[in-house]
Amino acid sequence: MFAAIVRLFVLLACSFALYSLTQSAWGHWVALGIALTVLAIPLGYFYIKLSTLKKYLQADELERLPAASGFLEDLFFRLQRYVKAIKQRIFEVERQHQRFIEAFQASPNGIVMLDSQDQIEWCNAIAERFFGLNFKRDAMQRINYLFRNPEFIQYLSAREFEEPLVIEKMGPGSNLSLRIQAFPFADNRRLLLAQDVTDLYKAEAMRRDFVANVSHEMRTPLTVMMGFLETVQTIDLTPAQKAEYLELMMTQGRRMKSLVEDLLTLANLEANALPVLKDSVNVVDSAFPLLKNDAEALSQGAHQIRFEAESTQLLMGNEHELMSAFGNLISNAIRYTPDGGEITVQWGVNSNGQGVFSVRDTGPGISAEHLPRLTERFYRVDRSRSRDTGGTGLGLAIVKHIASRHQAQLLIESVPGSGSQFTLLFPSERIA
Ligand code: ADP
């Protein structure tokens, strides 16, 4: 550059020298022409180089730096360094931003960023599902215009975000329960977090139902017993009547005892560790004789009870639990099958190597609509029949629990009017 300017001045000096020498009319035009030509050469050079620099800066990818010399070379090199640093910074910020987005998307909670007007600036896929949003469509829309839940609208407008809002059952036909809380952040914005608490509320509702059911089941025999006691206390009864009343009280006492025992069994099943594979039960030699004794004592000769062994293989599992499950199924078959009916208990191993314990009866059977609910606690098809036969409504719940602790399936087949078959299907790993 400096050299070019020096050259320019030298040429200008030459042309004026020529002008002063010639002193002719055209002499100064010649000098001016030479001066302009000399000026145009470096200006053209600058123009061409700056155009290539502009192209270089406009390109998405940094290509090779345009060639230049002297002052321009130094300028281009510094510019290139500066542009590279900025591009690198932009790349890092974008990558960080992308990571934040991915982290928010990976969150199991719904996340919505709202501006000061409650307009949606961003939300993750879970929030789209929870609130019925579509970010592409709903960006910068006010959330309370899109999610029209009255409790939510009230929560958002009250601006009191210290406590979360819980919405049980988000809408008609939806079981979803959400815990929502807004957290204010920069420039009057809000971060809305929504957590799915459906299971928590379901468990809480189940606990409430369970306590109510237990109280009810306990109150009924207690009320009956109190009534008998009052009668015995206030009325002069004959010894025979007294004996009858005491027997009735005994029955209610037994009912309460069975209920408490079944509740304790369930509590123990829930509290105990899973049964280990090293314990085993010899179903045919050990379990069958005990089960047979109990069955005959319960039936009092009213039924034909058969025990059939198709295999002598051992079943790996907790003996106490398995005996309780087998006993419950046999006791149900006896209690629900009218006198004269047949009950068949079978143990075998099927072609897949699975252990099969089944109890078949010729009782009243159960209609299909009840089958999926039979293992619920306190679910009974016929409430009075269950009570009359000393049922607690917990037997099949206990069986199901024990089955799942042994990775077994409880299969129920029944034909109303013909009978039922309850089968426990144990995985082949539990057969020794
Ligand atoms: P429960 O103590 O009332 O017998 P369970 O949980 O053992 O309670 O059984 C639930 C319900 O399933 C019973 O109330 C009864 O209506 C029905 N049930 C169970 N086993 C049989 C069976 N073998 N035949 C007919 N109904 C049965």
Side-chain angles (χ1 to χ4, degrees):
M1 173 71 184
F2 181 71
I5 292 168
V6 170
R7 249 179 273 143
L8 173 69
F9 273 103
V10 170
L11 277 165
L12 278 174
C14 289
S15 50
F16 274 103
L18 190 68
Y19 169 71
S20 47
L21 276 175
T22 56
Q23 285 290 316
S24 62
W26 47 268
H28 68 276
W29 288 112
V30 172
L32 197 64
I34 292 169
L36 284 176
T37 312
V38 167
L39 263 176
I41 291 168
L43 280 177
Y45 176 76
F46 265 86
Y47 179 77
I48 291 164
K49 286 293 161 192
L50 287 177
S51 302
T52 51
L53 179 69
K54 188 178 161 200
K55 254 195 235 157
Y56 166 79
L57 292 176
Q58 279 173 340
D60 285 340
E61 293 292 322
L62 285 187
E63 290 160 3
R64 218 158 57 81
L65 187 68
S69 57
F71 164 77
L72 278 184
E73 186 185 22
D74 186 41
L75 180 73
F76 281 14
F77 181 68
R78 278 167 200 274
L79 259 176
Q80 186 195 38
R81 256 203 342 215
Y82 186 61
V83 169
K84 264 189 181 165
I86 288 178
K87 286 211 172 192
Q88 180 62 27
R89 184 85 195 102
I90 291 172
F91 175 71
E92 271 163 21
V93 169
E94 273 176 359
R95 209 169 51 176
Q96 223 167 34
H97 178 249
Q98 192 54 33
R99 269 199 224 120
F100 273 120
I101 300 270
E102 281 166 14
F104 285 155
Q105 286 292 14
S107 158
N109 297 329
I111 300 171
V112 186
M113 284 180 194
L114 299 175
D115 69 3
S116 56
Q117 309 294 311
D118 293 336
Q119 298 178 133
I120 302 165
E121 286 190 325
W122 186 83
C123 71
N124 67 357
I126 304 264
E128 286 184 310
R129 185 162 62 78
F130 284 172
F131 298 112
L133 304 173
N134 176 335
F135 178 59
K136 278 196 186 129
R137 184 193 62 202
D138 301 330
M140 296 321 286
Q141 299 288 321
R142 291 177 73 144
I143 191 163
N144 47 355
Y145 290 172
L146 301 166
F147 181 56
R148 302 290 303 158
N149 183 291
E151 295 165 75
F152 176 74
I153 294 172
Q154 158 72 24
Y155 175 76
L156 214 58
S157 60
R159 296 284 188 259
E160 282 163 13
F161 301 133
E162 288 79 27
E163 290 296 319
L165 163 75
V166 176
I167 306 178
E168 263 186 81
K169 302 217 164 79
M170 291 281 283
S174 161
N175 274 333
L176 184 69
S177 296
L178 286 185
R179 187 206 304 267
I180 302 170
Q181 189 160 10
F183 297 92
F185 72 107
D187 304 333
N188 210 13
R189 286 177 156 74
R190 271 164 286 281
L191 185 74
L192 211 61
L193 291 189
Q195 187 190 4
D196 182 351
V197 287
T198 314
D199 288 347
L200 216 72
Y201 275 78
K202 245 193 223 156
E204 178 58 20
M206 271 166 70
R207 194 193 60 79
R208 277 199 304 259
D209 285 355
F210 184 68
V211 172
N213 275 326
V214 170
S215 316
H216 177 78
E217 294 288 333
M218 288 286 202
R219 204 180 52 190
T220 314
L222 262 178
T223 314
V224 178
M225 272 171 101
M226 302 271 288
F228 288 145
L229 278 171
E230 256 176 47
T231 315
V232 173
Q233 270 180 340
T234 51
I235 299 173
D236 242 352
L237 297 169
T238 63
Q241 281 174 317
K242 237 183 206 164
E244 188 193 345
Y245 272 63
L246 286 175
E247 183 49 40
L248 289 169
M249 279 196 274
M250 198 66 173
T251 309
Q252 296 305 321
R254 272 193 223 106
R255 211 175 121 189
M256 281 177 63
K257 187 167 171 263
S258 315
L259 183 64
V260 172
E261 276 169 1
D262 278 359
L263 286 171
L264 282 175
T265 306
L266 269 177
N268 281 337
L269 287 174
E270 272 160 14
N272 288 354
L274 282 179
V276 286
L277 263 175
K278 68 177 176 36
D279 298 334
S280 67
V281 183
N282 187 331
V283 181
V284 177
D285 292 343
S286 319
F288 270 14
L290 294 173
L291 294 170
K292 203 169 177 187
N293 270 350
D294 290 351
E296 276 159 6
L298 186 64
S299 165
Q300 298 282 319
H303 306 89
Q304 269 186 40
I305 307 173
R306 272 202 308 272
F307 279 79
E308 295 175 358
E310 289 171 2
S311 160
T312 51
Q313 278 179 278
L314 304 183
L315 173 61
M316 314 298 282
N318 181 292
E319 182 165 12
H320 179 72
E321 290 183 17
L322 291 168
M323 287 299 282
S324 162
F326 298 161
N328 263 307
L329 293 181
I330 298 170
S331 132
N332 276 358
I334 295 169
R335 288 189 296 113
Y336 292 105
T337 304
D339 290 358
E342 282 176 31
I343 288 139
T344 312
V345 181
Q346 279 183 321
W347 166 246
V349 174
N350 68 14
S351 54
N352 295 326
Q354 293 165 301
V356 185
F357 181 92
S358 68
V359 181
R360 198 171 61 243
D361 64 54
T362 56
I366 307 156
S367 10
E369 75 262 24
H370 296 293
L371 296 183
R373 299 198 58 194
L374 281 190
T375 54
E376 285 176 21
R377 292 166 188 199
F378 299 112
Y379 187 84
R380 291 149 164 138
V381 177
D382 180 347
R383 205 156 270 276
S384 61
R385 174 118 185 81
S386 160
R387 291 226 176 87
D388 291 348
T389 59
T392 58
L394 294 172
L396 289 180
I398 292 173
V399 175
K400 176 82 186 286
H401 217 105
I402 294 172
S404 74
R405 284 166 64 79
H406 289 80
Q407 300 79 46
Q409 279 173 278
L410 172 64
L411 310 173
I412 309 173
E413 294 157 86
S414 190
V415 180
S418 307
S420 317
Q421 174 161 325
F422 290 76
T423 306
L424 284 168
L425 200 62
F426 293 92
S428 55
E429 298 78 50
R430 288 205 171 263
I431 304 304

